[in-house]
Amino acid sequence: MITATQDPPAEDRTIEQRRTSVRQVVHSGTEPDEARALHEGVYDGRDLWSRPDGDTPFSYRYRSTGDGRVSLRTSSVSAHHGGVLAPGRQYLLAWSVEGGIVLDPDREDGVTLRPGVPVMCPAGRPFTVAAPPGTVHLVHFDADFLEAVAVVGGTAAPVPLAFPVAVPTARLAPLQRTLRELAAPMLDVDVVDGPRAALDLRLAEAVLEAFRPDPDGGVPDVPVATLERAKAYMYAHFARPLSAAEIAAAAETSVRTLQETFQRQEESTPTAYLRDLRLEKARLALQLADAHETTVAAVATSCGFRHMGRFAGAYAARFGEPPGETLRGQRRMIAVAGTPARTRWSHAG
């Protein structure tokens, strides 16, 4: 079974950039192959397996509700199951109802989930999961969004976050209270626009407060493929000038091979990919910024742009509005949150 909210009507799409669309999808069934295909698609999984639990018939159910920034998900499987997951540019908070799920069982730093205790799944690399029958709840954060929230109020540019997988239980109590408070409205597909943005922001800040990213930044154990090494280097250093030669060196390849790889796999060039990455970071920064405290030029510079005219033109072409309009927008996430000053986790030295 699959259910989903409808796409906005064609006549409304001219203002879609200023609105938050919420989507809910539900899958359920009794076929192991269907469950395997679902998790392969959602988590870029591989080597997925399931093993019946005694005489219990196999069944699964998966639900996802959220927008492009944050989504709440629940996965229930009646059998032992596992495999390798590689969710890409997302951060995953997870907790198991029954406990017993093991993250990276073959590594010395593997973690076994306790019932109801949230953990941050390893980010920036594939990780292995071995799970007993039961239910796991997850919160998926778009990486660009969470990285931008982490530096709101500071001068540092967003960078990949290195979260500990587990933290002391005492640090989790405020996050668990926030999850209980926000679960119902975040699962309501009619909560959109400003109220939805405020919920996203509150939950992101609660996770950042509980797990406190490593101040040195950087994601350990990034994938070793040439393309992924290049992308990881761009994400970590996009705020400063980068040459194709420097990116190629970080990817352990030649400039020519790097260019050919991007053209073949991304239908783009390293330079164009870096520009688009910077534009996405700038848009999030402008949406999160306070127009009374910063300027378009300051945001653009923090995201690696040195020529304001070119930045403004590229931004308007990509997002359909000038950067100043985004900064002044009535639906800025900070404006709609309406909450007191919050703790920020900066990567400044």
Side-chain angles (χ1 to χ4, degrees):
M1 177 178 68
I2 302 176
T3 63
T5 56
Q6 296 294 319
D7 289 333
E11 59 268 25
D12 291 339
R13 288 176 185 169
T14 56
I15 61 170
E16 186 176 357
Q17 294 165 340
R18 304 295 298 277
R19 298 183 63 84
T20 299
S21 175
V22 179
R23 179 177 174 83
Q24 182 175 88
V25 177
V26 179
H27 297 259
S28 62
T30 58
E31 294 297 328
D33 288 344
E34 291 180 359
R36 185 180 306 111
L38 169 67
H39 289 89
E40 285 176 349
V42 172
Y43 296 102
D44 196 15
R46 67 175 189 270
D47 301 328
L48 301 184
W49 55 270
S50 62
R51 185 175 66 251
D53 184 40
D55 296 328
T56 302
F58 181 87
S59 65
Y60 75 94
R61 188 174 191 274
Y62 173 86
R63 182 182 68 179
S64 172
T65 306
D67 53 25
R69 297 182 296 259
V70 182
S71 61
L72 272 57
R73 312 192 184 194
T74 298
S75 178
S76 299
V77 181
S78 66
H80 293 268
H81 57 286
V84 179
L85 308 182
R89 287 284 296 162
Q90 299 183 78
Y91 294 100
L92 273 57
L93 178 76
W95 64 99
S96 171
V97 174
E98 297 84 4
I101 296 176
V102 183
L103 303 181
D104 286 326
D106 297 327
R107 291 171 57 117
E108 292 183 0
D109 57 351
V111 171
T112 300
L113 275 63
R114 291 175 290 155
V117 179
V119 301
M120 288 297 293
C121 297
R125 65 169 175 83
F127 60 94
T128 303
V129 175
T135 298
V136 60
H137 298 292
L138 305 103
V139 182
H140 285 225
F141 292 93
D142 173 74
D144 288 331
F145 170 68
L146 194 61
E147 290 162 9
V149 174
V151 296
V152 168
T155 58
V159 297
L161 303 171
F163 288 108
V165 173
V167 297
T169 303
R171 280 176 48 184
L172 293 172
L175 171 60
Q176 291 170 312
R177 287 195 297 270
T178 299
L179 286 165
R180 288 193 294 269
E181 179 183 349
L182 301 188
M186 294 194 77
L187 290 171
D188 185 346
V189 296
D190 293 325
V191 177
V192 297
D193 295 336
R196 173 66 57 170
L199 295 172
D200 290 347
L201 187 61
R202 285 188 58 194
L203 187 51
E205 290 179 330
V207 167
L208 290 164
E209 175 66 23
F211 284 86
R212 299 181 187 175
D214 183 341
D216 292 333
V219 177
D221 300 330
V222 295
V224 297
T226 296
L227 185 66
E228 296 305 321
R229 279 196 297 264
K231 288 182 179 180
Y233 192 79
M234 292 185 201
Y235 275 105
H237 302 285
F238 69 88
R240 62 178 183 79
L242 291 178
S243 67
E246 182 179 350
I247 298 169
E252 301 176 14
T253 190
S254 67
V255 171
R256 180 177 179 179
T257 298
L258 180 70
Q259 292 172 334
E260 291 175 347
T261 301
F262 267 86
Q263 188 62 50
R264 183 172 62 253
Q265 298 191 37
E266 297 288 336
E267 296 185 355
S268 181
T269 66
T271 301
Y273 185 91
L274 178 60
R275 180 203 60 217
D276 290 345
L277 166 62
R278 286 169 169 164
L279 286 171
E280 293 289 346
K281 293 287 189 179
R283 182 163 180 79
L284 271 171
L286 290 168
Q287 289 174 330
L288 288 164
D290 187 330
H292 298 292
E293 296 179 358
T294 191
T295 64
V296 169
V299 170
T301 300
S302 75
C303 292
F305 292 98
R306 300 295 179 263
H307 192 289
M308 293 304 104
R310 293 173 186 167
F311 164 70
Y315 186 97
R318 184 171 180 83
F319 301 115
E321 64 181 16
E325 185 174 337
T326 303
L327 179 60
R328 295 186 300 270
Q330 293 182 349
R331 290 187 175 92
R332 285 186 307 104
M333 286 182 239
I334 294 299
V336 300
T339 53
R342 295 166 289 272
T343 301
R344 310 296 180 198
W345 296 103
S346 172
H347 295 273

